[in-house]
């Protein structure tokens, strides 16, 4: 018991399989290497920090004499950028200019290494924070190591950080933005007029379909596998995304023009654009992706809990219903105007499955509430400009 507790505190364990996230298939197991189920976990350890290593060796990089933040420039900024890149926190070009990309990489460092709560991250590096950065032995370790046998991705929703590990070595540590949350931490509801040109799995439809839908901006926790990739821009039900890697129905890790320091998507995992341009080169279809939701270990999330929020009709939407005349082979969306009459108009009855005795074309405004459909959200909306 004591040994299991120590292992849990150190973040040591192995990811397991779960049928609801396709983790137990033979193909996934082969692609992910030899990964065994996590044993002895009875309580959540999602608040335990990601394991770090330090060396205690004398730093080779010089100290800094000022705090570094967005808008500054100089040799010390370039030194910071080069050190972040060396550790896997991609700050963009090491050009000595502290811009948005450097700020996002510093956010990830603050939240992951310094254990600063997401809401308190500043995007700045003080001289004290630089002391941690210039430790020659500083390294990030996976929460689910594979004994160096497999590549996998870990996503920490409370910290809003994603890490790609190659044989337990971090090759990318990125700030992310996942599904938008209410003040109480529950997924926020959104309602959109969405034009679908992809199905529930992200595959392109023959003809786009426009619907007025609502859903919850839910990024579920759990153990998943990368299912498919699309290069370039994909216009999906709620807008555009770049270089998506789908791992949970229509939920994908993808590039976005805005990746704020807060959950802001409709369920997908947003990456900065400069990182999404090569993210697909770091991961493969069939590799494991574990998502910590801040409440349960990924292996403890049930199949139902791991499902995304499925779209349902907007109860406040106004729709136009058209019944085509029997003498035509195709329907029309142009309402017809009935001849004037002195008789009192007959109210339009609700649609039924029984055919009407006479073909008529009517335009009606109805408000309906229907159960959720089986179409999951496939992406985020097109974010505003840079």
């Amino acid at each position: 018991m004591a040994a299991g507790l120590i292992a849990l505190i150190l973040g040591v364990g192995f990811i397991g399989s779960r049928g609801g996230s396709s983790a137990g298939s033979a193909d996934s197991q082969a692609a992910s290497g030899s990964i065994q189920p996590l044993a002895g976990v009875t309580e959540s350890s999602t608040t335990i920090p990601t394991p770090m290593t330090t060396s205690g060796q004398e730093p080779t990089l010089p100290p800094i004499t000022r705090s570094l933040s967005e808008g500054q420039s100089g040799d010390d900024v370039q030194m910071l950028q080069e050190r972040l890149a060396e550790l896997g926190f991609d700050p963009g070009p090491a050009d000595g200019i502290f811009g948005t990309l450097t700020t996002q990489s510093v956010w990830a460092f603050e939240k992951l290494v310094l254990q600063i709560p997401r809401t308190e991250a500043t995007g700045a590096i003080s001289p004290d924070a630089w002391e941690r950065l210039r430790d020659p032995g500083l390294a990030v370790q996976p929460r689910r190591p594979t004994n160096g046998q497999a590549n996998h991705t870990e996503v920490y929703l409370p910290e809003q950080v994603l890490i790609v590990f190659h044989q337990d070595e971090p090759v990318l540590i990125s700030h992310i933005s996942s599904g938008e949350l209410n003040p109480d931490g529950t997924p926020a509801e959104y309602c959109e007029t969405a034009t679908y040109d992809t199905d529930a799995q992200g595959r392109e439809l023959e003809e786009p379909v426009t619907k007025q839908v609502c859903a919850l901006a839910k990024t579920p926790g759990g153990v998943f596998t990368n299912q498919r990739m699309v290069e370039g821009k994909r216009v999906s039900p709620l807008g555009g995304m770049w270089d998506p890697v789908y791992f949970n129905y229509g939920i994908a890790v993808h590039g976005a023009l805005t990746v704020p320091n807060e959950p802001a998507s409709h369920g997908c995992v947003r990456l900065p654009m400069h990182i999404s341009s090569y993210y697909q080169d770091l991961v493969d279809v069939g590799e494991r992706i574990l998502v910590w939701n801040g409440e349960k270990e990924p292996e403890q999330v049930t199949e139902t809990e791991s499902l995304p929020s499925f779209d349902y009709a907007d109860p406040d939407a106004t729709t136009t219903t058209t019944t085509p005349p029997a003498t035509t082979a195709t329907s029309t969306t142009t309402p017809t105007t009935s001849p004037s009459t002195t008789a009192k108009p007959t109210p339009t009855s609700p649609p039924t499955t029984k055919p009407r005795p006479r073909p008529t074309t009517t335009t009606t405004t109805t408000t309906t509430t229907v159960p959720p459909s089986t179409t999951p959200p496939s992406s985020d909306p097109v974010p505003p400009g840079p």
Side-chain angles (χ1 to χ4, degrees), residues 74-92:
D75 293 340
D76 49 2
V77 173
Q78 183 174 0
M79 181 172 61
L80 167 64
Q81 293 168 330
E82 292 172 347
R83 179 57 175 153
L84 288 169
E86 181 182 14
L87 292 171
F89 299 88
D90 186 350

Side-chain angles (χ1 to χ4, degrees), residues 218-282:
K218 177 185 177 185
T219 306
V223 181
F224 308 95
T225 57
N226 294 322
Q227 298 296 326
R228 59 190 301 269
M229 305 180 187
V230 177
E231 294 184 1
K233 184 178 180 181
R234 166 55 58 92
V235 179
S236 49
L238 293 172
M241 54 183 174
W242 285 261
D243 303 304
V245 178
Y246 295 93
F247 67 91
N248 184 6
Y249 289 88
I251 294 180
V253 177
H254 69 80
L257 297 178
T258 56
V259 189
N261 188 28
E262 61 185 1
S265 81
H266 284 78
C268 285
V269 178
R270 294 182 183 178
L271 290 174
M273 290 289 288
H274 75 291
I275 292 176
S276 71
S277 66
Y278 64 83
Y279 178 74
Q280 292 187 0
D281 296 332
L282 301 179

Side-chain angles (χ1 to χ4, degrees), residues 26-95:
D27 292 343
S28 298
Q29 191 75 2
S32 302
S34 178
I35 303 176
Q36 302 300 323
L38 177 67
V41 175
T42 57
E43 297 181 0
S44 173
S45 63
T46 55
T47 58
I48 292 178
T50 299
M52 306 285 169
T53 59
T54 56
S55 65
Q57 302 173 8
E58 188 66 25
T60 58
L61 296 173
I64 61 175
T65 59
R66 59 172 180 165
S67 291
L68 304 178
S69 59
E70 189 163 346
Q72 295 179 325
S73 61
D75 293 340
D76 49 2
V77 173
Q78 183 174 0
M79 181 172 61
L80 167 64
Q81 293 168 330
E82 292 172 347
R83 179 57 175 153
L84 288 169
E86 181 182 14
L87 292 171
F89 299 88
D90 186 350
D95 55 6

Side-chain angles (χ1 to χ4, degrees), residues 8 12 39 60 107 110 121 134 158 189 245 261 270 310 327 353 371:
L8 180 62
V12 177
T60 58
W107 281 341
E110 288 182 282
R134 72 189 191 113
E189 183 187 47
V245 178
N261 188 28
R270 294 182 183 178
F310 295 101
T327 56
T353 57

